[in-house]
Amino acid sequence: MNKKKWILFFENILKCISTLVIATLLGLLFQKLGFTEANIITLYILCAQVISVITTSWMCSLVSSLASVFIFNFLFTAPRYTFLAYDPGYPLTFLVMFIASLLTGTLALQNKKNAREKEQAALLAKNEQLRANLLRSISHDLRTPLTSISGNASNLLSNGAYFDEATKQQLYSDIYDDSMWLINLVENLLAVTRIEDGKMNLRTSTQLIDEIITEALHHIDRHSSEHHITFQNPDELLLAKVDAKLIMQVIINIIDNAIKYTPENSHIEIRANKEDDFIKIIISDDGPGISNEDKAHIFDTFYTGSSSVADSRRSLGLGLSLCKSIVTAHGGEIRISDNIPHGCVFTFTLPAKEVQIHE
């Protein structure tokens, strides 16, 4: 028996003993208040049922049912404090009590098992629905960039000699944009899969937040030049123990999302400050904003919203869902709010690391 099984075994024993002690104390109270033996028997039957619910083994139901009979015989039947019984009807009472306790306990255990199976079935159905949504989204959304890449490449191969330099540069640019979008999509898909499977191990180290933000800004969408992106470098050193690559991905996803859903010449501002024991990173824009309906689901997997600003190539709705998973894995929180007078603000927190100065 491994360590986990031993721990579970002792937890079950402790739960059984505690429940039986509580039932016995209540039984003594009932006796003092003048309740009949039938009421006390019902109390022990309820005790067996409770034990079946809070423990994980059918043996607990059996043992608690037997223990209930012996405790009732010892404390509540004449002669007390012995396992004898003067009344010839007591053996039948004990048998009925044992059977009733065992049956109710077994039924409670079976109901708990059925509930667990239903929960697992619901989780499996949810995962199957997620897979179906993913396949449907991929089949729909990957077709556009792949068709664009293959079509532009075909044009360059077949008619490249007849194109002027400006046309060639535009085709190269379109191919680059579509390929980068596909690369970002694949990275998000892999990251989401690792998080959901519990295989994403955070490689944390103490990092300067401003360096992470600055590096992230070097990897954002090439169309960032069409927007005004500013980073207000904090006056103080902000340190956090994080997986720098993943936090960069959070910042990149949020900024790319702002670039995609705001018109040209919009302003995107990044700020960072310390609040209590957390580093707060705020990314705001002055675009059209996000409706209250979309806010409620913006971090849901596969939710794409209904903005009319974005181009015809839809997102799979993984970026912001991934952001939430990464921030939560670091022990922080992420939320969205309105930017007055218009636009939206994404705010996420990370546990701060104290600056240590060695003199």
Side-chain angles (χ1 to χ4, degrees):
M1 188 180 294
N2 58 37
K3 184 177 180 180
K4 289 185 178 179
K5 289 184 178 180
W6 275 112
I7 292 174
L8 184 62
F9 173 73
F10 285 114
E11 283 181 350
N12 285 335
I13 290 179
L14 183 61
K15 289 176 182 178
C16 287
I17 294 174
S18 300
T19 307
L20 286 169
V21 167
I22 292 172
T24 301
L25 292 175
L26 289 174
L28 293 171
L29 177 62
F30 282 12
Q31 186 182 57
K32 189 173 182 180
L33 295 174
F35 286 85
T36 64
E37 291 179 351
N39 296 117
I40 300 175
I41 290 174
T42 304
L43 189 63
Y44 278 104
I45 293 175
L46 177 62
C47 170
Q49 186 172 3
V50 170
I51 289 174
S52 299
V53 171
I54 63 176
T55 58
T56 58
S57 173
W58 64 270
M59 283 296 296
C60 294
S61 297
L62 177 62
V63 171
S64 62
S65 299
L66 283 172
S68 298
V69 171
F70 284 114
I71 293 172
F72 177 79
N73 182 20
F74 188 79
L75 294 178
F76 301 105
T77 60
R80 291 177 186 170
Y81 312 119
T82 70
F83 291 106
L84 300 176
Y86 290 156
D87 193 321
Y90 273 141
L92 180 60
T93 301
F94 296 155
L95 179 62
V96 172
M97 178 182 173
F98 171 73
I99 293 174
S101 299
L102 187 61
L103 284 177
T104 55
T106 304
L107 288 174
L109 193 63
Q110 185 63 40
N111 288 336
K112 186 171 69 171
K113 182 180 178 181
N114 292 339
R116 190 183 304 114
E117 289 176 351
K118 287 181 180 179
E119 183 179 350
Q120 292 174 347
L123 181 61
L124 181 61
K126 181 181 179 181
N127 289 338
E128 288 298 326
Q129 185 63 44
L130 286 175
R131 291 191 187 97
N133 288 342
L134 177 59
L135 291 174
R136 185 164 53 251
S137 297
I138 288 177
S139 63
H140 182 278
D141 293 323
L142 297 192
R143 188 180 296 116
T144 299
L146 288 174
T147 301
S148 175
I149 291 172
S150 61
N152 288 333
S154 177
N155 276 335
L156 287 169
L157 287 172
S158 303
N159 306 306
Y162 307 104
F163 292 152
D164 57 33
E165 191 61 28
T167 303
K168 288 182 181 179
Q169 288 300 321
Q170 183 59 51
L171 291 174
Y172 294 147
S173 177
D174 291 342
I175 291 174
Y176 176 82
D177 289 343
D178 287 322
S179 63
M180 290 305 296
W181 185 85
L182 289 172
I183 289 171
N184 185 59
L185 168 64
V186 171
E187 288 180 350
N188 283 343
L189 279 171
L190 291 174
V192 167
T193 302
R194 288 196 296 270
I195 287 176
E196 290 182 348
D197 291 344
K199 297 177 181 178
M200 177 171 281
N201 297 319
L202 299 179
R203 297 179 177 87
T204 60
S205 59
T206 302
Q207 299 284 339
L208 280 168
I209 294 298
D210 62 323
E211 290 184 356
I212 293 177
I213 296 174
T214 302
E215 184 65 22
L217 292 175
H218 292 154
H219 295 81
I220 60 175
D221 192 292
R222 200 171 57 84
H223 288 110
S224 62
S225 59
E226 301 170 357
H227 294 68
H228 303 284
I229 302 177
T230 57
F231 169 41
Q232 294 185 8
N233 212 318
D235 295 330
E236 59 179 323
L237 293 178
L238 301 179
L239 291 173
K241 192 171 184 179
V242 297
D243 187 318
K245 185 177 179 181
L246 291 180
I247 299 305
M248 279 175 54
Q249 192 166 3
V250 171
I251 296 168
I252 291 169
N253 284 351
I254 294 175
I255 296 177
D256 280 348
N257 191 74
I259 292 171
K260 180 177 180 181
Y261 288 99
T262 57
E264 290 185 22
N265 294 318
S266 294
H267 293 78
I268 300 171
E269 185 180 275
I270 305 104
R271 306 190 310 275
N273 57 64
K274 186 176 181 183
E275 190 174 284
D276 298 328
D277 295 328
F278 289 89
I279 303 296
K280 180 186 289 185
I281 299 175
I282 304 126
I283 302 174
S284 59
D285 65 67
D286 58 358
I290 298 175
S291 68
N292 291 329
E293 179 184 357
D294 287 342
K295 282 194 192 78
H297 305 284
I298 199 71
F299 295 110
D300 294 349
T301 306
F302 303 121
Y303 188 77
T304 57
S306 55
S307 174
S308 59
V309 178
D311 57 27
S312 60
R313 184 177 62 212
R314 298 186 302 122
S315 166
L316 288 182
L318 293 172
L320 294 179
S321 171
L322 176 61
C323 291
K324 182 176 181 180
S325 298
I326 292 174
V327 171
T328 302
H330 280 81
E333 295 180 350
I334 187 170
R335 63 180 183 273
I336 183 174
S337 57
D338 291 325
N339 189 20
I340 306 301
H342 55 83
C344 62
V345 180
F346 284 91
T347 304
F348 66 93
T349 59
L350 300 167
K353 181 75 173 178
E354 291 296 329
V355 179
Q356 295 182 353
I357 301 176
H358 301 282
E359 296 183 353

